[in-house]
């Protein structure tokens, strides 16, 4: 308009723009698979596949970055509290985060999808964003072949990502592939 005045959009237009921005964001989140990433005081992994005997998690470490180089300091009874579904005898969630302990945590029984979990809640006022997980599970029959990373939002556990297939033993699981160098001496770069 002339005279320097600006016409403000009607509330209908503003709602339409807000709806459009929301739809674009949801489409991007659905495409990237990280719709629910963000900071949280508590993080856990749960089984999304069937575990026929018992789920054994020897160690679990959360990281701030996709390359698993910047650890979230998860020290039971110091920086927070380890927790898990019911453990079998002589195992427990605290042992999972005691990285040099061979004991770990093991579910008391078989786990149907989503039934079992192990995680860490940081002390009050502390938040972390988890982008990568180092997971050491048991051998065949004692591992989850699919796991979900979840974060606590209010009182609800929200799925961040599901990884499948997941091998037994030690694995590195990231939300996205870390940047790869252009070349390396005496080696090769494979897909993420």
């Amino acid at each position: 308009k002339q005279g320097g005045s600006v016409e403000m959009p009607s509330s209908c237009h503003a709602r339409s723009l807000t709806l459009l921005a929301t739809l674009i964001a949801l489409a991007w989140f659905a495409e990237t698979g990280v719709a629910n990433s963000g900071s949280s005081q508590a993080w856990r992994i749960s089984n999304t596949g069937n575990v026929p005997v018992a789920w054994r998690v020897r160690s679990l470490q959360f990281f701030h970055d996709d390359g698993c180089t910047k650890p979230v300091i998860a020290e039971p009874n110091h920086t927070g509290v380890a927790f898990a579904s019911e453990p079998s005898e002589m195992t427990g969630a605290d042992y999972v985060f005691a990285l040099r302990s061979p004991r770990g945590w093991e579910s008391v029984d078989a786990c149907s999808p989503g039934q079992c979990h192990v995680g860490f809640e940081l002390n009050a006022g502390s938040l972390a964003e988890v982008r990568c997980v180092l997971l050491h599970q048991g051998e065949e029959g004692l591992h989850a072949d699919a796991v979900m990373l979840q974060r606590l939002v209010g009182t609800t556990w929200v799925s961040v990502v599901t990884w499948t297939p997941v091998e037994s033993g030690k694995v590195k699981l990231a939300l996205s592939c870390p940047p790869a160098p252009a070349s390396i001496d005496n080696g090769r770069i494979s897909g993420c």
Side-chain angles (χ1 to χ4, degrees):
K1 289 187 149 187
Q2 290 183 345
S5 65
V6 177
E7 185 176 323
M8 296 302 291
S10 70
S11 62
C12 181
H13 286 111
R15 282 193 300 267
S16 295
L17 290 174
T18 302
L19 178 60
L20 178 61
T22 303
L23 291 173
I24 290 170
L26 289 173
W28 179 82
F29 291 147
E31 186 175 318
T32 60
V34 291
N36 295 307
S37 65
S39 294
S40 182
Q41 186 176 342
W43 291 86
R44 72 181 188 181
I45 59 168
S46 64
N47 66 305
T48 56
N50 189 42
V51 180
V53 179
W55 188 17
R56 182 176 295 156
V57 177
R58 296 181 191 281
S59 66
L60 174 62
Q61 193 170 11
F62 297 118
F63 290 84
H64 295 284
D65 64 314
D66 291 321
C68 280
T69 62
K70 298 174 185 165
V72 173
I73 306 302
E75 297 173 358
N77 304 315
H78 182 68
T79 62
V81 178
F83 61 90
S85 42
E86 186 178 359
S88 64
E89 289 183 26
M90 312 241 346
T91 71
D94 284 359
Y95 298 117
V96 170
F97 295 96
L99 299 179
R100 300 212 191 296
S101 172
R103 192 173 284 188
W105 166 85
E106 184 176 299
S107 64
V108 73
D109 205 352
C111 300
S112 58
Q115 180 183 5
C116 298
H117 63 267
V118 60
F120 196 84
E121 181 174 0
L122 297 164
N123 288 333
S126 298
L127 297 173
E129 180 176 7
V130 173
R131 305 267 323 150
C132 188
V133 173
L134 283 180
L135 172 63
H136 186 184
Q137 299 188 87
E139 55 279 356
E140 288 296 321
L142 298 171
H143 86 287
D145 63 359
V147 296
M148 178 185 303
L149 176 66
Q150 297 176 308
R151 67 185 181 102
L152 189 61
V153 177
T155 57
T156 304
W157 287 101
V158 177
S159 171
V160 175
V161 66
T162 298
W163 292 291
T164 187
V166 178
E167 301 296 322
S168 59
K170 293 181 184 179
V171 294
K172 181 191 290 189
L173 306 166
L175 292 186
S176 62
C177 295
S183 66
I184 56 172
D185 294 332
N186 302 317
R188 67 183 177 88
I189 301 170
S190 62
C192 179

